[in-house]
Amino acid sequence: MDFLKGNKEDFLNFLNSINDENVAVLTHTDLDGISSAIFLNEILKEKGIECSYLNFLSLDKGLFSNVWGELIENNIEKIFVCDISADADLEDFEKLRKEFDVFLIDHHPFDGELESWKNVVKAGSDDCAGLMVYELGEELFDREKWRWLLDAVIIADFSFKKKENLEKLKENYSEINEENIFESISGILVKKIDANLTYFEKDLRKVYDMVYNKEFDKLEETYLIIQKEIDSFINKFEEDAEFFPEKNLYIYYFKPKFKISSTLSTLISLKYKTKSLIFIVEDTKDENYLKMSARNQNASEDMNKLLKKGIEGLEDANAGGHAAASGARIMKKDLDEFKKNLLS
Ligand SMILES: [Mn+2]
């Protein structure tokens, strides 16, 4: 793999600089983040180093400040940051680097400022962070034992779009291509893990442990729960959605237990390709708001324009997107007004 910045030597030097300091791993909330942390943990173990603190961060403002207290409590001195773009909050990252000895392994696009930084390995977007760690530590852990996870993360992060990485998958799946990739054994595993990431979004450590310990039966259990919820809303769609024939439009307001709305809107819109569809759920971050996604697979009507018409004159509302798929957010109290606008 070609790194855009930093190299294996930088990684090994940092690793070798660890004596008896407490080490933390901060990683992203997706399978790429999880597998980076697992490979890294295997490498640390081989070096006789224990990871004292592990956490999963989403790319929000203040992401590092949020765990600052725990880093201090655990007497952390050395930190690996994986699959997290420093410019999610550059100032916060600078603060972290001032206080701790930090090594960054990431593949998100970066701006020039990182050029002068030490202890950074960056790859292009199409090489996932899991693959980066796997290769950085290649001489240091039992890579064959973890090959199944490497295949999974290449699929999950769409790193197979790069020819070299698709070739890697072909070593185990000679017939694999972009169309059938999610039906391969690794592809199916990715779907199961993704369902668990949705289900346990507040306790990702659980998913990390299940993947680390290869508890595939448990992963499957949750997958079936999520699948069941998706299926039940698909089945209830015809009955529960409002249909407005004059606009050829369905409005489906539903209350899922889990974050399934984007998967659901895609699946239903593929069944109703000639219709306009608006899916509405409550905003889990603020119950006073509704989030909606509009779909029209044939783009026979412009969903972006439709939603913009819907939010006209509404307080604190926004909408935007493409003709075939668009999104909006409004205040819950304005739902009737929104519908009136749509149908006028
Ligand atoms: Mn990633």
Side-chain angles (χ1 to χ4, degrees), residues 149-171:
L149 185 54
L150 180 72
D151 287 347
V153 71
I154 287 175
I155 294 174
D157 235 54
F158 285 77
S159 302
F160 56 80
K161 298 258 175 203
K162 183 172 172 179
K163 194 168 169 276
E164 200 183 311
N165 296 333
L166 185 65
E167 291 305 316
K168 207 169 296 232
L169 290 177
K170 282 188 177 163
E171 292 167 12

Side-chain angles (χ1 to χ4, degrees), residues 134-152:
Y134 193 87
E135 296 209 351
L136 286 170
E138 59 186 346
E139 289 99 5
L140 299 173
F141 75 115
D142 187 353
R143 294 201 306 161
E144 273 320 298
K145 190 179 150 198
W146 293 99
R147 185 54 203 262
W148 63 274
L149 185 54
L150 180 72
D151 287 347

Side-chain angles (χ1 to χ4, degrees), residues 28 30-33 36 59 82-84 105-108 125 127-130 153 156-157 159:
H28 195 206
D30 59 5
L31 181 57
D32 196 21
S36 313
L59 307 179
C82 298
D83 194 28
I84 286 176
I105 301 168
D106 183 46
H107 68 135
H108 292 89
S125 299
D127 287 316
C128 53
V153 71
D157 235 54
S159 302

Side-chain angles (χ1 to χ4, degrees), residues 214-243:
K214 294 179 77 170
E215 292 171 291
F216 298 144
D217 290 349
K218 276 199 202 167
L219 290 170
E220 163 114 17
E221 254 171 58
T222 307
Y223 173 66
L224 294 176
I225 294 171
I226 297 278
Q227 259 330 99
K228 208 171 142 194
E229 199 189 17
I230 290 174
D231 290 342
S232 90
F233 282 113
I234 289 179
N235 291 334
K236 283 190 281 193
F237 174 76
E238 208 34 79
E239 203 182 314
D240 290 356
E242 288 179 276
F243 183 59

Side-chain angles (χ1 to χ4, degrees), residues 45-56:
K45 265 201 318 206
E46 289 295 324
K47 298 288 263 178
I49 301 163
E50 201 199 324
C51 171
S52 309
Y53 180 73
L54 167 67
N55 211 337
F56 308 89

